[in-house]
Each structure stands twice: as C-alpha cells, then as structure tokens.
Amino acid sequence: MGKILKKIVSWQLLGHLLAMALLLVGLIVGVSYALDAYTHHGESIAIPDVKHHPRADAEAELRRLGLEVTVSDTGYVKSLPADCVLELSPSVGSHVKSGHMVYLVVNASKSPTLVLPDLVDNSSLREAMARLTAQGFKLGLPEYVSGEKDWVYGMKADGRNVQGGDRVSVESRITIVVGSGLRDESDSIDYVIPEQPDYEAIYGIEEDDFEVVD
C-alpha cells in the first residue's frame, strides 16, 4: 500500500512539474510573439521620395505606407511653390518600421524677415557690414554721401530707407549709406585771419622801419 501511494504521489508531482514546464514554454512563446507584433519584427518600410511634392500629397503617401507624419519646421526656397516638402527625416531611402514618425520641412509662402540692428550714427562701415552679414542679410555696394569717412549715416532695403528695428526680408539687399570723407559745397567754412603782431609795442619800431638787407 505504501509503495502504491508513493508511486501515485510521484506521478502527480511529475505531472505538476510537466504542466509547469509547458506553461512556462507557452508563456515564453506568447511573449515573444507579442513583442514581435508590437515592434513589427522583420518589417521594413522604405521612406519614399516625396521631396518637392505638395505637403498634402506627401502626407497621404506616407500614411498609406503606415507611417505617422508631422510638420516640424518651415524653410524658404523662392523657386519652389509654397507648402511643398523641402526635407524629411528620416531621409529618403531609410528603412523604418510601421508607425514610425516622419518629420517634414515645408516651404513657407513668403520669405522670412529679420530685424535690422541699430547701426546709424553709431557704427563704421566695417562694423555695420560685419553685423549685417552675421545676421544673414544680403549687402549691396555702399552709397557714399558727404560726411565723416566710412561713418554710417543711413540704410536702405531695395532702395527704400529703413532703420534699426524694422523687419526686412532676407531676400532684400541692404545698402549702407556712409560718409565719403569729403565736405559738401554747401557746407559753410569760416576762415580765420591771424592778427598781425604789434611791432611798435614789442620792438619800439613801426612796420615801415624794417629794411631789406641783401
């Protein structure tokens, strides 16, 4: 009787262990399949070339492939139509999984503007050119007027007068108005005639008493 009981207990224990092993294997396999499905294991989608396409068309094509799309930034290319795709990230030809986010840079409808720095009456030509160039402005040839040489007296954008604080298109060409170093003919000049010394008081003689000696 005792031997039979031991055998029954042994078979029951072995059955429990086997069931636990099968449950563990099933759990591992299930988790593996779930992870593969969640991460789209083995799936690869090539980013299509939608550069210079209208944004609406590009978004439709990317979403059709199972990708997410958002506009991350704008740029400006004068020769391209507004709202077309300039760049995308990941780049064209990259392979990603379904549901991956694609970031678009689209063309603005008009050129961006920059704020002009305050340069009039406080900068030299060299300083003004350096600051404007560093901020991204395009420069034309300086315009010279009468005044202190290379001193900034004004600024023009595409021929119109502008000043510090004005917003100007990055496509505009800035002309710096500077002094030529020459006086204008209309400027008044005061001539000072030096006074003649009082020879009689200094030397006790009059001017007419001087004689030329060879």
Side-chain angles (χ1 to χ4, degrees):
M1 185 68 179
K3 291 181 179 180
I4 295 173
L5 183 61
K6 287 182 179 180
K7 288 181 179 180
I8 294 173
V9 171
S10 298
W11 280 108
Q12 286 180 342
L13 180 61
L14 183 60
H16 286 309
L17 292 175
L18 183 59
M20 291 176 63
L22 291 174
L23 180 62
L24 182 60
V25 171
L27 183 62
I28 293 173
V29 172
V31 169
S32 177
Y33 275 110
L35 286 175
D36 286 347
Y38 180 75
T39 60
H40 305 283
H41 181 70
E43 183 182 15
S44 180
I45 300 173
I47 301 293
D49 187 0
V50 293
K51 290 176 64 175
H52 304 170
H53 291 198
R55 184 183 68 173
D57 294 348
E59 289 181 347
E61 175 64 16
L62 292 168
R63 290 198 172 99
R64 186 185 66 79
L65 295 174
L67 301 171
E68 297 295 325
V69 190
T70 187
V71 176
S72 62
D73 201 358
T74 58
Y76 182 71
V77 178
K78 188 176 182 179
S79 60
L80 294 175
D83 212 34
C84 74
V85 176
L86 297 178
E87 296 292 341
L88 61 163
S89 178
S91 58
V92 175
S94 300
H95 286 77
V96 297
K97 299 180 186 300
S98 177
H100 191 89
M101 181 65 73
V102 179
Y103 299 92
L104 304 181
V105 177
V106 299
N107 201 27
S109 59
K110 59 182 181 179
S111 63
T113 59
L114 299 172
V115 178
L116 278 173
D118 185 14
L119 302 173
V120 178
D121 282 336
N122 60 24
S123 303
S124 67
L125 175 60
R126 180 178 294 182
E127 293 169 343
M129 292 178 66
R131 289 187 61 182
L132 291 171
T133 302
Q135 292 184 14
F137 289 101
K138 297 179 180 180
L139 300 182
L141 294 175
E143 178 180 318
Y144 289 93
V145 296
S146 61
E148 184 177 344
K149 184 174 178 58
D150 287 342
W151 189 247
V152 176
Y153 288 101
M155 293 183 291
K156 295 181 179 180
D158 295 332
R160 63 182 179 87
N161 292 321
V162 290
Q163 58 186 357
D166 289 348
R167 297 196 71 92
V168 177
S169 169
V170 294
E171 296 297 311
S172 296
R173 195 166 293 277
I174 306 300
T175 299
I176 306 173
V177 181
V178 295
S180 62
L182 302 175
R183 301 182 67 92
D184 192 277
E185 293 180 357
S186 62
D187 293 343
S188 60
I189 302 176
D190 296 327
Y191 294 97
V192 178
I193 301 175
E195 295 181 0
Q196 295 295 325
D198 188 350
Y199 295 105
E200 186 176 0
I202 299 174
Y203 301 105
I205 58 176
E206 297 182 359
E207 291 183 60
D208 294 339
D209 293 338
F210 282 100
E211 295 182 0
V212 179
V213 180
D214 293 335

